Amino acid sequence: MTSCIEKQDFDSEIFDRPFYRITSFDLDRLGPELAIVRDIPSVVIDAKLPSGEVQQAAFLMRNGFRKVCMQVEFVHRLQETVPASSAEIRSHLELQPDVLREHARHFQTDRFALDVCLPLERHDRLFEVSMRNSPSGRKHSVAARGNNFVTFREDGEETKIDLVSMLDKGKGIGTDVINAVLLHAQRRGKRCVRVVTECENVAAIGLYVKTGFIASCYYTVLHFVRE
């Protein structure tokens, strides 16, 4: 039988403590597993569930979890003409260490940054490593204009956006780079493009709405953190 809680090796290394993620919300099975994992000294447990599942959220909060934020998933159906873009689609993107650090500090409304119980320096390290791996990884492609980029991957008939980071504000570059992803997906015959962001990330939400995305569902994010 598959476990309801899975250890995340990458996150464990970054946060320098055991980091687990709840992958199944079968409460009869989850309860006994959770009783064991949450007693581990210095542990983090991450949970994300559809916002309508209030019973599961209440169960987690009774077991010491805190609600960190809400996330919203946006979908673009690719049914209309997408404006032309000057951004490039690449297989990888090399960024200098100082630019990587600047991008990492730029992420201030993600679920890790919003959790005041997680150390900020570990958060920055998480995104530095993620950006170093994601733009150069085989699974992802990159839409880039200067040091501004979006990483994305194909998942069957869909394209899923992973990281979005724009250092140059107020110049229309974000719109241009997102349009490059939409055009690429459209030309590849994809059915839609999906992206998830925190509801606190007002700038990202404005960008997605401006480029034709529509909110499709919401998620509740909860963390259990034991120092």
Side-chain angles (χ1 to χ4, degrees):
M1 185 177 295
T2 305
S3 174
C4 294
I5 306 175
E6 296 182 3
K7 189 175 183 181
Q8 307 297 303
D9 292 336
F10 174 75
D11 300 273
S12 296
E13 181 178 353
I14 292 294
F15 285 98
D16 195 27
R17 70 182 76 177
F19 193 111
Y20 291 85
R21 178 157 297 144
I22 296 178
T23 56
S24 172
F25 289 90
D26 180 341
L27 300 187
D28 291 335
R29 293 168 47 216
L30 177 59
E33 288 186 36
L34 192 57
I36 296 172
V37 175
R38 69 179 184 175
D39 283 341
I40 298 174
S42 188
V43 68
V44 180
I45 311 172
D46 178 79
K48 174 178 170 179
L49 64 162
S51 58
E53 296 185 359
V54 292
Q55 180 182 359
Q56 291 86 338
F59 170 84
L60 292 176
M61 287 188 282
R62 285 195 297 270
N63 280 274
F65 281 74
R66 295 170 295 104
K67 183 176 178 180
V68 175
C69 65
M70 298 291 295
Q71 293 182 330
V72 53
E73 180 181 79
F74 286 93
V75 60
H76 194 298
R77 299 294 180 187
L78 302 172
Q79 295 174 342
E80 298 179 358
T81 302
V82 179
S85 170
S86 60
E88 297 180 71
I89 301 295
R90 308 175 185 175
S91 60
H92 66 281
L93 180 65
E94 298 293 338
L95 296 173
Q96 295 300 316
D98 58 329
V99 177
L100 271 174
R101 287 191 290 271
E102 188 176 358
H103 276 290
R105 291 191 295 267
H106 176 252
F107 289 93
Q108 298 180 357
T109 55
D110 62 275
R111 71 183 191 274
F112 298 113
L114 292 171
D115 190 339
V116 297
C117 293
L118 295 177
L120 186 58
E121 67 274 10
R122 295 292 178 176
H123 162 274
D124 291 351
R125 176 64 177 161
L126 172 73
F127 279 94
E128 273 192 61
V129 176
S130 296
M131 284 184 291
R132 186 180 300 118
N133 293 342
S134 186
S136 60
R138 295 179 180 178
K139 294 182 179 180
H140 289 82
S141 297
V142 184
R145 184 171 157 186
N147 286 324
N148 309 281
F149 70 87
V150 173
T151 65
F152 61 96
R153 58 187 171 85
E154 295 183 354
D155 185 5
E157 295 182 341
E158 301 181 351
T159 291
K160 294 185 177 180
I161 291 176
D162 181 22
L163 294 176
V164 177
S165 190
M166 303 294 152
L167 297 182
D168 300 315
K169 305 291 187 180
K171 301 178 181 180
I173 294 177
T175 299
D176 193 44
V177 178
I178 292 292
N179 282 336
V181 177
L182 298 176
L183 277 170
H184 183 77
Q186 205 170 51
R187 290 166 180 167
R188 297 275 291 176
K190 299 302 176 182
R191 181 168 54 86
C192 67
V193 177
R194 294 185 186 275
V195 63
V196 176
T197 191
E198 282 72 16
C199 291
E200 289 81 358
N201 195 341
V202 177
I205 290 173
L207 175 61
Y208 301 139
V209 171
K210 182 179 180 180
T211 49
F213 285 81
I214 297 174
S216 61
C217 58
Y218 293 84
Y219 297 95
T220 302
V221 177
L222 304 102
H223 287 170
F224 178 93
V225 180
R226 182 185 297 280
E227 296 295 337

